[in-house]
Amino acid sequence: AAHGPTPRQTPTMTSATSHPLSYDLIAGMAANVADALASLPVDQVKTQAHVNRGVNPSVVAMLHRQVQLGGLFSLYRGVLAAAVRPQSVAMYVGNEASQKLVVGVSGAALTTFTATLAGSLTGYVEAACVTPFEVVKVRMQALEHQSKYTSSLHCARTIVAEEGPVALYNGFWATCWRNCVFNGSFCAAGGGALAAWIAGEAHACSESLIGGPGFSFVLHDASDGADARGCAGEAGGGLW
């Protein structure tokens, strides 16, 4: 029998994921190392520009100045703190926990609001895990500390000895606010955009699994009740 046009499929986000926690941990650690190696030289220039009281030279000039001061490898001052900070791990794993806190462990569908709320809550977890590493990294990068700290470990020990352990959490609440805004927006906008894309390309998805840890998008076809799963978090894919 002939059938009419297939109704538009409506995407919904669910929080069901079944991939091992080790996937999130490995992905997060790899992301941290890659981010540190790729961006630390420019990040160092950014930090120096933030704390400079005068007019900043160009980015290229500041990179050249840093090499003249300490050699090529000085562009990677604080690389240990940047590489081992658990930023991505805290975001991925914290988002899993936040989703369960917001919608429960039953796998109820995430709406845009609950996805935003879960992502925002992740910001507190991320800030608690990352702030000490950020403090050490920034101290290592600042021009006035170039001769004071010889390594990330020496920097951390010196801060604790001279200022107390609490100093490692300088800027904690500002970091919380920044992370909450970013993570909430990222989880809602990124997840919604992906769901919309899947809805438009459902005919090509077939049995393909596209996505990453944190979300599973289920396309409900009103014509026959069939589900087409895209962006399946249980696949542990790479988009997120």
Side-chain angles (χ1 to χ4, degrees), residues 56-139:
N56 289 307
S58 68
V59 173
V60 174
M62 293 180 74
L63 288 170
H64 184 257
R65 179 184 65 187
Q66 182 61 46
V67 172
Q68 286 185 317
L69 286 174
L72 185 62
F73 288 107
S74 71
L75 293 174
Y76 285 91
R77 283 181 60 85
V79 66
L80 179 62
V84 301
R85 63 183 175 183
Q87 183 166 1
S88 297
V89 174
M91 183 175 180
Y92 289 144
V93 178
N95 190 51
E96 295 283 336
S98 296
Q99 287 178 20
K100 293 177 182 178
L101 179 65
V102 171
V103 300
V105 296
S106 61
L110 282 168
T111 64
T112 300
F113 172 74
T114 54
T116 303
L117 180 59
S120 298
L121 291 175
T122 306
Y124 292 99
V125 178
E126 186 179 344
C129 296
V130 169
T131 300
F133 298 91
E134 283 291 305
V135 169
V136 171
K137 177 179 71 71
V138 170
R139 293 284 187 99

Side-chain angles (χ1 to χ4, degrees), residues 43 47 51 77-82 85-87 126-142 144-145 149 151-160 163-175 178:
D43 185 69
T47 298
V51 300
R77 283 181 60 85
V79 66
L80 179 62
R85 63 183 175 183
Q87 183 166 1
E126 186 179 344
C129 296
V130 169
T131 300
F133 298 91
E134 283 291 305
V135 169
V136 171
K137 177 179 71 71
V138 170
R139 293 284 187 99
M140 288 289 293
Q141 291 175 333
E144 60 266 33
H145 299 312
Y149 305 123
S151 68
S152 295
L153 291 175
H154 176 251
C155 178
R157 288 197 300 265
T158 303
I159 291 173
V160 172
E163 305 171 48
V166 177
L168 292 174
Y169 276 90
N170 286 342
F172 170 74
W173 289 112
T175 303
R178 182 197 66 181

Side-chain angles (χ1 to χ4, degrees), residues 214-227:
F215 294 102
S216 172
F217 297 91
V218 182
L219 306 184
H220 299 283
D221 190 338
S223 63
D224 57 7
D227 289 342

Side-chain angles (χ1 to χ4, degrees), residues 9-19 95-96 99 107-112 114-116 185-202 205-221 226-240:
Q9 294 171 318
T10 303
T12 60
M13 292 185 292
T14 73
S15 60
T17 57
S18 60
H19 59 271
N95 190 51
E96 295 283 336
Q99 287 178 20
L110 282 168
T111 64
T112 300
T114 54
T116 303
S185 302
F186 177 78
C187 291
L194 184 58
W197 178 83
I198 293 173
E201 299 293 333
C205 281
S206 180
E207 296 178 355
S208 298
L209 298 178
I210 307 169
F215 294 102
S216 172
F217 297 91
V218 182
L219 306 184
H220 299 283
D221 190 338
D227 289 342
R229 292 184 181 271
C231 186
E234 55 267 40
L239 185 62
W240 281 69

